[in-house]
């Protein structure tokens, strides 16, 4: 059965919910492209979402995030879940065939009807990744995925923010990952709900674990009071420790639900998203206005020093808001 046309967002959503992966892909493309179609899809999926548990997986380049995500998908699938994976690729743009930068690891899952995998470029979205990623996650949520895994490289403020905006955030480190204080500075400690020392088959594993425990002792409880982020060990290449990781992720979800933190986090996230959307819209209008006569006049006034920049800005803002 061919998927519904792009013009019919409601039919695409229904098909996506029914398990049509091509329909899910088309919805994501529409959302990524922006414009009126993206709005139509966004409106629909916002109303239909809120059921998926979103899990961010972040950590330094090469820490084994993708290998771990593929393992998580395997465990979750065995438990009967429908799983969506969104990999934010920091360097290469999205291309139909590129899957987590490595076809081999995800190959088994690509053929699975109940696993949907998409990679997404981190640059080139209207309003930036912080707007584009939540929109894509929402599509996967609304099309009935029980779990949405979001892989981002833990370098760059936006990538860290995006992973931290999940319900549960897993931070992956490796033996010899370096100074815990550095990680704290990079903002990666604050977003962690679960720590994983991957590549536990390598020397230095104990040291890495001790480092993390020390940092956690210093920083106090995690970002929601009652939960101290556990520090787990995995060997993603063999799958060792992955079941325990899924256990910790589920424990965290249970804790979020019981404490009411899940609702609080989702609320805060939507509020943030709203701010970003408004800011992006205002930015676009500002950019437009710079081409106008009033702007040229204000610039001239500031340049010949008859007007100070603050007064000129106030005038332009007043005009913009009118
Ligand atoms: N020895 C060992 N190697 C591992 C382990 N996990 C992953 N690797 C290897 O580490 C390399 C990087 O793994 P990826 O899963 O691509 O790491 P990543 O964090 O997704 O990398 P980027 O997305 O490029 O940042 C690959 O060669 C993996 O086979 C592990 O537990 N032990
Ligand atoms: Mg990767």
């Amino acid at each position: 059965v061919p998927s519904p046309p792009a013009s019919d967002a409601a039919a695409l959503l229904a098909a996506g919910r029914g398990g049509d992966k091509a329909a899910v892909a088309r919805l994501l493309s529409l959302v990524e492209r922006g414009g009126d179609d993206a709005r139509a899809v966004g409106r629909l999926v916002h109303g239909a979402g809120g059921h998926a548990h979103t899990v961010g997986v972040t950590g330094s380049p090469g820490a084994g995030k993708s290998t771990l995500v593929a393992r998580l998908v395997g465990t979750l699938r065995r438990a009967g879940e429908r799983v969506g994976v969104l990999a934010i690729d920091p360097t290469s743009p999205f291309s139909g065939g590129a899957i987590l930068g490595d076809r081999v690891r995800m190959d088994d899952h690509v053929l699975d009807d109940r696993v949907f995998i998409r990679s997404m470029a981190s640059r080139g979205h209207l309003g930036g990744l912080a707007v584009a990623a939540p929109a894509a996650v929402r599509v996967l949520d609304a099309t009935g995925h029980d779990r949405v895994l979001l892989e981002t490289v833990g370098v760059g403020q936006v990538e860290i923010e995006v992973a931290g905006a999940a319900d549960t955030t897993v931070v992956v480190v490796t033996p010899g990952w370096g100074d815990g204080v550095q990680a704290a500075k990079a903002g990666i400690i604050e977003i962690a709900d679960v720590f994983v020392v991957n590549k536990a088959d390598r020397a230095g594993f104990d040291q890495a674990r001790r480092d993390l425990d020390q940092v956690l002792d210093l920083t106090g409880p995690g970002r929601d009071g009652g939960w101290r982020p556990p520090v787990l060990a995995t060997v993603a290449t063999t799958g060792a420790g992955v079941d325990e990781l899924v256990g910790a992720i589920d424990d965290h979800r249970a804790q979020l639900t019981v404490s009411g933190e899940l609702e609080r986090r989702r609320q805060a996230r939507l509020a943030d998203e709203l701010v970003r959307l408004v800011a992006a819209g205002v930015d676009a209008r500002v950019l437009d206005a710079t081409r106008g006569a009033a702007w040229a006049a204000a610039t001239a006034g500031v340049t010949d020093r008859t007007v100070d920049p603050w007064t000129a800005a106030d005038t332009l803002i007043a005009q913009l808001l009118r």
Side-chain angles (χ1 to χ4, degrees):
V1 186
S3 301
S7 55
D8 195 346
L12 277 175
L13 180 59
R17 290 185 75 84
D20 180 346
K21 286 165 75 167
V24 176
R26 199 165 297 170
L27 285 167
L28 284 170
S29 297
L30 289 174
V31 162
E32 281 190 9
R33 213 175 301 144
D36 289 346
D37 285 343
R39 288 244 172 146
V41 173
R43 214 172 290 130
L44 273 175
V45 296
H46 181 66
H51 307 290
H53 180 221
T54 60
V55 180
V57 177
T58 192
S60 41
K65 300 178 294 296
S66 297
T67 316
L68 208 52
V69 164
R71 290 283 177 191
L72 289 175
V73 171
T75 302
L76 295 170
R77 282 298 296 124
R78 280 192 291 282
E81 292 193 21
R82 190 170 164 209
V83 186
V85 177
L86 195 64
I88 312 289
D89 181 337
T91 47
S92 52
F94 169 73
S95 72
I99 291 136
L100 306 180
D102 187 337
R103 286 177 147 279
V104 180
R105 284 194 292 274
M106 292 302 280
D107 247 8
D108 293 348
H109 302 312
V110 169
L111 299 173
D112 186 332
D113 273 352
R114 289 172 65 80
V115 178
F116 184 91
I117 301 158
R118 174 89 157 200
S119 81
M120 192 173 172
S122 71
R123 313 258 167 263
H125 302 281
L126 199 67
L129 187 62
V131 169
V137 167
R138 197 175 271 146
V139 168
L140 294 176
D141 178 5
T143 46
H145 295 85
D146 303 300
R147 200 83 69 147
V148 177
L149 307 176
L150 185 67
E151 178 190 338
T152 75
V153 175
V155 283
Q157 199 50 48
V158 181
E159 280 79 6
I160 292 174
E161 252 177 64
V162 164
D167 296 327
T168 297
T169 300
V170 176
V171 171
V172 185
V173 304
T174 52
W177 66 300
D179 195 342
V181 176
Q182 269 176 329
K185 276 189 192 152
I188 211 163
I189 300 281
E190 296 94 274
I191 64 160
D193 299 305
V194 176
F195 281 105
V196 175
V197 183
N198 187 42
K199 307 197 184 184
D201 53 331
R202 296 210 173 149
F205 153 68
D206 281 338
Q207 181 64 42
R209 191 172 207 167
R210 269 198 304 276
D211 269 4
L212 270 178
D213 271 323
Q214 261 173 22
V215 172
L216 285 170
D217 287 342
L218 288 174
T219 53
R223 56 178 174 167
D224 65 281
W227 176 264
R228 186 192 205 265
V231 182
L232 305 175
T234 56
V235 182
T237 40
T238 66
V242 171
D243 286 348
E244 289 79 358
L245 173 55
V246 172
I249 290 170
D250 283 342
D251 285 350
H252 183 249
R253 173 171 55 180
Q255 147 84 14
L256 281 177
T257 309
V258 168
S259 64
E261 177 69 15
L262 186 64
E263 273 319 303
R264 274 194 295 279
R265 275 192 193 188
R266 289 184 173 179
Q267 235 172 51
R269 232 149 60 203
L270 288 171
D272 273 0
E273 194 183 0
L274 201 52
V275 169
R276 285 204 181 88
L277 283 173
V278 171
V282 170
D283 263 5
R285 282 183 60 183
V286 169
L287 211 64
D288 256 10
T290 56
R291 296 189 201 98
W295 209 280
T299 307
V302 172
T303 309
D304 65 21
R305 298 184 190 269
T306 53
V307 186
D308 69 275
W310 296 272
T311 306
D314 281 345
T315 309
L316 290 171
I317 290 167
Q319 281 175 11
L320 210 60
L321 293 180
R322 215 161 41 211

